[in-house]
Amino acid sequence: MADLQERLAQAIEGEVLFDRFSRGRYATDASIYQIFPLGVVVPKTRADVEATMEIAREAGVPVLPRGGGTSQCGQTVNEAIVIDVSKHLNRLLEVDAEAKLAKVEPGLVLDQLNAELKQHGLWFPVDVSTSSRATIGGMTANNSCGSRSIRYGTMRDNVEALSCLLADGSRVGFGPTDRASAGDNRDAAAPLFRDLLDLGSREAEEIQARFPDLMRRVGGYNIDALVPNGPSNNLAHLLVGSEGTLAFTEEATLRLSPLPQNKLLGVCHFPTFRQAMEAPQHIVKLEPTAVELVDRTMIELSRQIPLFRDTVDSFVRGEPQAILLVEFAEEDSAENARRLAALGDLMAELGFAWGDPGKQEGGLVEAREPAFQKAIWEVRKQGLNIMMSMKGEGKPVSFVEDCAVRLEDLADYTSRLTDIFRKHDTDGTWYAHASVGTLHVRPVLNLKQEKDVKALRAIAEECFAMVRDYKGSHSGEHGDGIVRSEFHEAMFGARMVDSFAWVKQRFDPDGLFNPGKIVDPPKMDDRSLFRYPPAYRVPPFETHFDWSAWDLSGGSAGGGFQGAVEMCNNNGACRKLTDGVMCPSFRVTRNERDLVRGRANSLRQAISGQLGPDAFASDEMAETMKLCVSCKGCKRECPTGVDMARMKIEVLARRAEQKGLSTRDRLIANLPRYAPLASRLSWLANLRDRVPGLPRLSERLLGLSAARSLPRWQAKPFRPKATGAAAPDVLLFADCFNRYFEPENLRATSTVLERNDTRFEHALPEAGRPLCCGRTYLAAGLVEEAKAEMRRSLAVLKPAVAHGIPVVGLEPSCLLTFRDEAPALLPGEWSAEEGAKVQLFEEWLMAEREAGRLRLPLAPLKAKRALLHGHCHQKAMNALSPVQRALALIPELKVEMIPSSCCGMAGAFGYQAETQEVSMAMAELSLLPRVREAGADSLLVADGTSCRHQIHDGAARQARHVVALLREASDNALN
């Protein structure tokens, strides 16, 4: 492998990754399997791909093309050289709006494509639920479908042509091919085309007899595309769904559709699951664009996820056992209204109109507003991740999950399949495409146990036999991979499987492309290929946080931390490039390493010994965590709840214990201890940015970027004194950053409290230096020091909270530490319920308003517009809405949210020489461009100290804390 790595490194411009950590990150997809690849190539150009294939061919090793790595059947794992096209080969090459065609590279993500097509009034309508990370190449390889396939068909129906590299290195275009002249063509591909079309003619009768007559049939090769059906055949359709086993797609020509302008959505409620399954055969007669199932399990699990709870409560009435989302999207809005009304009539005819309001046994909820519809569809799109958020060693397992049957058989099929599950002591979770008889169903199994592995095979064999009885398809959307390929002979017959093998041999005689998929597969229950093979063990080790909420194995080795790490299901929701926060480092680098999924895989493999001894505290692990900015975006936006910020602290703590800390890390961690002295000697502490040459020296000696100015110590910091309030309404907590760097914010807070007639007291220690949340120590991995700081603070905060006095402060990263980390670091000493009483100023202010106690006089500001950037921790803890509402209190002020991820400063991250460029790149994704577009008459608002500094450094604009604006508006009211 070393020789192969060296040859590749010399031959290509892109990255060549053969280290064990990198290979481990590409060893899994969203399936149950794990196979370490030989190495990984991240090509920059098509020439890189060509060179990689040539070297692999000469070395006799296979290659595996890969996009987002979200396959659920094991298509994108293999002992091969993985070629990751998602980072660079991701361009939209051409749009012909008149012809409704687009040419794209394989690594282009579907959401990115549709964002660019929107300006043309077009979209690519194969709307898979993983659209935020699914690449066109992967969708083509898998013959993806999507929620609206009843209207738009599958990937095969929307691919016009493919330009491919074949195993012998030749470039061939596949598309509509004239049968009569294909053999006469002098092109080098003519013999291949002729042989393929001959196969279609020869096997036409067998193909037509054995392939299920269903739209949702994606098993095996699409050799029905070779059967004579007119003067020409589209040979690209043979490659669609071939799972990277026949060729490498360099370019795809896609058919586009007009972007729907008018949509209406009906949410049909059913008292029983069977009744929901009997309804689609009637609903589809109304010609909807989608009919999607959400079952009781998914409803309840989504209610447990903060990101979805409010939305689910807004469209689910009562306690239905299942709901169907029925969409109409005709050009004529009146026609959509007519069909939605007809849906209501149909529900009444079926016996499901709203009856007694107290019972709400079934009926229709209408979603007419686009924002409401979007929120509902987002819950449905996250169905897989919501299901996988189920806590326990048993997880919903994908292997029979997308069989397809006719709608008239759907109710009986689901009933019989449920009986099969219960026969094997399990049950299933159901959701997805009721419109086409393809339901995603996953029995809950613990594949670390031999008995459940046996159940896996037994359920598969019994389920697929039943599907054949119904003349259905055992693979209706997610392809074959490892999990289903071995069942092709039972499904299609030996002769058809021989035809599949012939196609593979004709394209790829030496097995260069992704061997073992579709043709010559391993057994689906070969445990040596599982993510949790029989030898999988996690030895005991100590952690600092209380991970008991994740202790899924009854106190097994590894404890709750193991369970928390293993919650990552590899579905790749963290790969999204827009919306929300996570994962800002990936959005900049596009590296699998710099991704929640990539880090979680490295952690899991490290604690189980798969990456060598002491990998948890290794330099490779430090590099893996290096660009994690602890934004906590994953804590809220990952539906399975992977909290990488907290996991990073565990890694930092282990490294600090074993390897110690750098001078820079100690300097930053101990800021609360020396801050009082630094402020008294502010003239000295601030010299670094005033004396030429000192910034460069600090970079060389301490690793503090010379490109950055440091926060300025104030000679007159905020020095709180007891107010003497006998019965205070509020306990004001002054954080280190606002105390020593921006004391005017704390002074403004005091003024606002006074003008609101709020009695307040400062959180003061009995003796010694000011109180601290411990945040800077956590950032360095000094957990015990952080606990000590927290205990000093809790000695003051806890009595106040016990007496019903809320603790209020300004800095999100500090105040929310008491809500997030402190309960898990100090269980038994501080609870989550107590942490909830520690509030950001805006949270307290809006609670006061709702209670009718807001008396703060406010008048308009000179500026009439404010742009708001939310701190990551505010977003993660659902604490941003109060900021918006607080700003809305200022008369005549129009507030606009900046749709941004992390600002990139993230505490010390932006000041470090080795991460300063990435920090600025994060800011340049959306925040800084939006700030620069804002006129001088627009206010910039950011509650985070780091956020304000980043905006100042990157755009030379001054952002302000919301309390400063409230103070100014109050001044105007009194003057």
Side-chain angles (χ1 to χ4, degrees):
M1 289 303 103
D3 291 341
L4 183 59
Q5 178 183 3
E6 185 176 352
R7 288 188 62 192
L8 287 167
Q10 292 177 351
I12 73 169
E13 290 183 62
E15 300 164 68
V16 178
L17 310 170
F18 272 60
D19 63 282
R20 193 159 183 80
F21 268 74
S22 294
R23 290 168 54 223
R25 285 188 277 267
Y26 284 87
T28 57
D29 53 14
S31 72
I32 61 177
Y33 301 105
Q34 174 177 285
I35 303 174
F36 274 71
L38 301 175
V40 179
V41 167
V42 184
K44 277 191 175 180
T45 64
R46 297 186 188 186
D48 281 356
V49 175
E50 191 173 14
T52 299
M53 287 176 50
E54 181 180 356
I55 291 171
R57 186 167 56 245
E58 292 172 357
V61 298
V63 298
L64 168 58
R66 174 164 157 147
T70 60
S71 298
Q72 294 178 36
C73 300
Q75 290 96 321
T76 53
V77 294
N78 214 326
E79 193 173 354
I81 298 173
V82 170
I83 303 177
D84 181 355
V85 301
S86 65
K87 183 172 182 178
H88 297 294
L89 302 181
N90 53 19
R91 295 175 298 164
L92 171 59
L93 301 171
E94 180 182 326
V95 176
D96 186 335
E98 185 174 347
K100 297 185 179 64
L101 294 173
K103 290 184 179 181
V104 305
E105 289 184 317
L108 181 61
V109 171
L110 177 58
D111 276 356
Q112 300 299 109
L113 169 61
N114 280 331
E116 297 198 51
L117 293 175
K118 188 175 182 180
Q119 62 182 309
H120 301 286
L122 299 169
W123 75 313
F124 187 65
V126 185
D127 59 330
V128 295
S129 61
T130 54
S131 60
S132 64
R133 61 270 195 199
T135 63
I136 297 299
M139 292 171 62
T140 302
N142 212 48
N143 194 9
S144 295
C145 302
S147 299
R148 296 171 176 84
S149 62
I150 190 174
R151 172 63 59 90
Y152 296 104
T154 68
M155 196 73 185
R156 172 178 172 175
D157 299 310
N158 293 277
V159 170
E160 178 68 15
L162 297 171
S163 177
C164 302
L165 268 178
L166 300 189
D168 62 4
S170 60
R171 280 190 168 84
V172 176
F174 293 85
T177 302
D178 184 82
R179 296 187 68 89
S181 61
D184 300 330
N185 194 322
R186 294 184 180 182
D187 189 278
L192 173 62
F193 291 175
R194 182 180 62 247
D195 290 348
L196 293 173
L197 294 172
D198 286 348
L199 172 69
S201 298
R202 186 171 65 250
E203 297 296 321
E205 185 175 341
E206 179 74 6
I207 292 170
Q208 291 168 348
R210 298 306 299 254
F211 271 178
D213 184 20
L214 295 169
M215 177 203 301
R216 289 302 195 94
R217 195 279 305 158
V218 302
Y221 291 128
N222 290 327
I223 56 176
D224 56 326
L226 306 175
V227 172
N229 58 4
S232 67
N233 287 72
N234 192 326
L235 297 186
H237 292 174
L238 172 65
L239 294 176
V240 175
S242 61
E243 301 187 353
T245 63
L246 301 181
F248 181 96
T249 298
E250 292 187 306
E251 185 178 298
T253 301
L254 308 176
R255 298 172 185 163
L256 310 177
S257 295
L259 191 64
Q261 298 300 315
N262 304 297
K263 295 180 184 178
L264 290 177
L265 181 65
V267 183
C268 303
H269 292 55
F270 297 90
T272 71
F273 184 81
R274 183 178 180 90
Q275 289 167 328
M277 293 300 90
E278 291 171 339
Q281 60 186 310
H282 307 294
I283 293 175
V284 295
K285 295 175 183 177
L286 300 176
E287 299 184 2
T289 51
V291 184
E292 294 288 294
L293 167 71
V294 177
D295 80 343
R296 185 76 201 157
T297 301
M298 183 170 162
I299 291 171
E300 289 307 309
L301 286 173
S302 58
R303 278 176 167 157
Q304 296 172 22
I305 300 171
L307 188 63
F308 302 129
R309 183 182 302 123
D310 291 344
T311 299
V312 172
D313 288 344
S314 70
F315 72 85
V316 177
R317 306 277 178 82
E319 303 296 330
Q321 290 304 304
I323 60 175
L324 293 175
L325 309 179
V326 183
E327 181 187 80
F328 302 103
E330 304 305 313
E331 290 187 17
D332 183 358
S333 58
E335 177 62 17
N336 291 326
R338 187 194 70 77
R339 295 190 190 190
L340 184 60
L343 178 63
D345 293 340
L346 175 61
M347 288 293 287
E349 291 172 14
L350 296 174
F352 304 119
W354 294 123
D356 180 349
K359 295 182 179 178
Q360 295 184 328
E361 67 273 12
L364 179 68
V365 170
E366 296 182 354
R368 295 177 176 271
E369 293 298 321
F372 188 27
Q373 294 177 39
K374 182 179 179 181
I376 294 172
W377 278 118
E378 185 59 29
V379 174
R380 160 57 197 95
K381 286 180 68 174
Q382 293 292 345
L384 169 61
N385 280 332
I386 290 171
M387 292 299 187
M388 294 304 289
S389 71
M390 185 180 296
K391 291 182 173 64
E393 286 278 39
K395 295 286 188 223
V397 178
S398 172
F399 64 107
V400 295
E401 84 151 19
D402 58 326
C403 300
V405 297
R406 292 171 179 81
L407 291 184
E408 54 266 32
D409 297 322
L410 190 58
D412 286 341
Y413 163 71
T414 55
S415 180
R416 289 178 61 188
L417 188 53
T418 296
D419 290 341
I420 291 174
F421 293 161
R422 290 173 179 168
K423 171 184 172 182
H424 295 283
D425 297 321
T426 187
D427 213 334
T429 59
W430 304 82
Y431 67 102
H433 317 305
S435 59
V436 287
T438 301
L439 296 182
H440 295 334
V441 52
R442 293 184 168 211
V444 178
L445 298 170
N446 177 8
L447 295 185
K448 295 176 182 177
Q449 298 180 353
E450 182 63 32
K451 70 178 184 65
D452 279 14
V453 175
K454 290 180 178 178
L456 176 84
R457 172 162 287 279
I459 291 171
E461 291 176 347
E462 294 174 41
C463 173
F464 295 156
M466 181 174 60
V467 169
R468 293 193 295 274
D469 290 344
Y470 286 116
K471 300 187 184 304
S473 169
H474 72 325
S475 185
E477 178 172 11
H478 292 154
D480 300 325
I482 299 171
V483 82
R484 274 193 281 266
S485 292
E486 72 161 288
F487 297 101
H488 284 338
E489 185 167 340
M491 185 73 206
F492 301 121
R495 183 170 173 178
M496 191 81 79
V497 169
D498 287 343
S499 292
F500 293 163
W502 182 90
V503 170
K504 171 68 173 176
Q505 177 69 20
R506 185 64 183 83
F507 270 90
D508 185 21
D510 297 321
L512 178 68
F513 287 113
N514 201 14
K517 315 295 162 55
I518 301 179
V519 172
D520 296 327
K523 292 292 185 182
M524 59 91 74
D525 56 342
D526 181 349
R527 291 190 71 186
S528 69
L529 306 179
F530 281 14
R531 190 181 303 176
Y532 304 113
Y536 184 83
R537 297 288 185 276
V538 176
F541 66 93
E542 292 185 5
T543 56
H544 295 82
F545 284 95
D546 176 14
W547 296 93
S548 58
W550 302 96
D551 198 352
L552 312 180
S553 52
S556 70
F561 182 72
Q562 174 188 348
V565 170
E566 291 175 1
M567 281 301 292
C568 177
N569 65 22
N570 281 266
N571 191 256
C574 43
R575 288 178 65 94
K576 64 181 181 179
L577 299 173
T578 58
D579 299 328
V581 175
M582 77 167 180
C583 178
S585 52
F586 175 76
R587 294 184 184 190
V588 168
T589 71
R590 306 290 177 93
N591 292 330
E592 185 72 19
R593 178 196 63 198
D594 305 319
L595 180 68
V596 179
R597 179 179 73 177
R599 295 174 184 124
N601 275 322
S602 292
L603 287 169
R604 175 178 53 80
Q605 291 162 356
I607 63 177
S608 59
Q610 298 177 72
L611 299 179
D614 203 24
F616 191 74
S618 65
D619 291 344
E620 292 86 349
M621 184 63 77
E623 194 67 20
T624 299
M625 293 292 178
K626 176 180 172 180
L627 299 187
C628 173
V629 293
S630 299
C631 66
K632 303 188 186 183
C634 51
K635 180 182 177 69
R636 177 172 172 82
E637 296 172 27
C638 171
T640 61
V642 175
D643 189 345
M644 192 53 59
R646 191 174 293 182
M647 294 176 187
K648 179 180 180 180
I649 293 172
E650 295 284 12
V651 173
L652 292 173
R654 182 68 63 86
R655 281 187 62 82
E657 291 163 4
Q658 294 188 5
K659 303 177 184 295
L661 293 178
S662 68
T663 301
R664 180 187 66 193
D665 289 340
R666 290 196 176 278
L667 187 67
I668 293 169
N670 286 294
L671 183 147
R673 292 185 181 273
Y674 63 76
L677 176 61
S679 67
R680 286 196 293 270
L681 300 175
S682 59
W683 60 272
L684 178 62
N686 293 328
L687 281 180
R688 184 264 194 188
D689 289 341
R690 293 176 175 174
V691 178
L694 283 186
R696 185 62 59 190
L697 182 62
S698 75
E699 180 171 320
R700 187 161 59 249
L701 297 180
L702 299 174
L704 293 171
S705 172
R708 287 285 193 190
S709 63
L710 298 181
R712 291 183 58 80
W713 296 95
Q714 298 299 308
K716 295 181 179 180
F718 184 75
R719 301 187 190 277
K721 296 181 181 179
T723 65
D729 302 310
V730 164
L731 187 66
L732 181 59
F733 183 91
D735 63 272
C736 297
F737 306 109
N738 281 296
R739 180 191 293 266
Y740 295 109
F741 299 127
E742 298 178 90
E744 64 275 9
N745 290 331
L746 285 165
R747 295 186 183 111
T749 306
S750 298
T751 300
V752 169
L753 290 173
E754 290 167 356
R755 290 177 180 174
N756 194 57
D757 296 331
T758 301
R759 299 186 302 274
F760 69 96
E761 187 56 88
H762 295 287
L764 300 173
E766 291 186 4
R769 58 188 172 79
L771 300 178
C772 171
C773 67
R775 167 62 57 192
T776 59
Y777 290 104
L778 290 178
L782 297 177
V783 178
E784 293 307 314
E785 288 85 343
K787 287 181 179 180
E789 292 299 317
M790 289 178 184
R791 288 189 175 106
R792 289 180 61 245
S793 293
L794 296 185
V796 177
L797 306 190
K798 196 174 178 73
V801 168
H803 285 86
I805 302 172
V807 178
V808 175
L810 300 183
E811 174 59 34
S813 64
C814 293
L815 271 292
L816 295 177
T817 298
F818 293 111
R819 195 181 299 179
D820 188 11
E821 287 89 355
L825 282 173
L826 300 171
E829 300 179 51
W830 182 251
S831 68
E833 292 74 21
E834 290 172 308
K837 302 297 183 183
V838 179
Q839 300 175 325
L840 293 171
F841 177 79
E842 309 83 29
E843 294 179 293
W844 169 81
L845 189 70
M846 298 319 298
E848 289 294 289
R849 183 180 187 234
E850 291 169 10
R853 293 191 293 266
L854 185 62
R855 295 177 289 275
L856 180 67
L858 296 170
L861 301 172
K862 182 178 180 181
K864 304 303 180 186
R865 183 166 176 258
L867 297 182
L868 171 62
H869 166 71
H871 189 285
C872 292
H873 295 182
Q874 286 177 308
K875 296 173 185 176
M877 304 301 289
N878 199 25
L880 190 55
S881 174
V883 184
Q884 295 173 279
R885 289 184 284 135
L887 286 169
L889 295 174
I890 301 175
E892 301 178 16
L893 185 65
K894 180 180 179 182
V895 182
E896 180 182 337
M897 276 291 300
I898 299 176
S900 53
S901 178
C902 179
C903 75
M905 184 62 85
F909 183 85
Y911 299 107
Q912 298 172 162
E914 68 273 21
T915 54
Q916 185 268 336
E917 288 187 9
V918 172
S919 165
M920 292 305 301
M922 289 180 186
E924 292 291 353
L925 287 174
S926 55
L927 173 60
L928 293 184
R930 189 70 188 87
V931 168
R932 295 188 191 107
E933 290 172 4
D937 58 343
S938 294
L939 296 168
L940 301 175
V941 185
D943 274 4
T945 299
S946 292
C947 307
R948 293 192 292 273
H949 202 146
Q950 183 78 313
I951 291 170
H952 179 268
D953 272 12
R957 292 289 301 272
Q958 186 65 46
R960 301 173 68 187
H961 193 287
V962 64
V963 76
L965 298 184
L966 291 170
R967 160 70 185 270
E968 184 177 333
S970 178
D971 289 344
N972 290 349
L974 297 176
N975 293 332

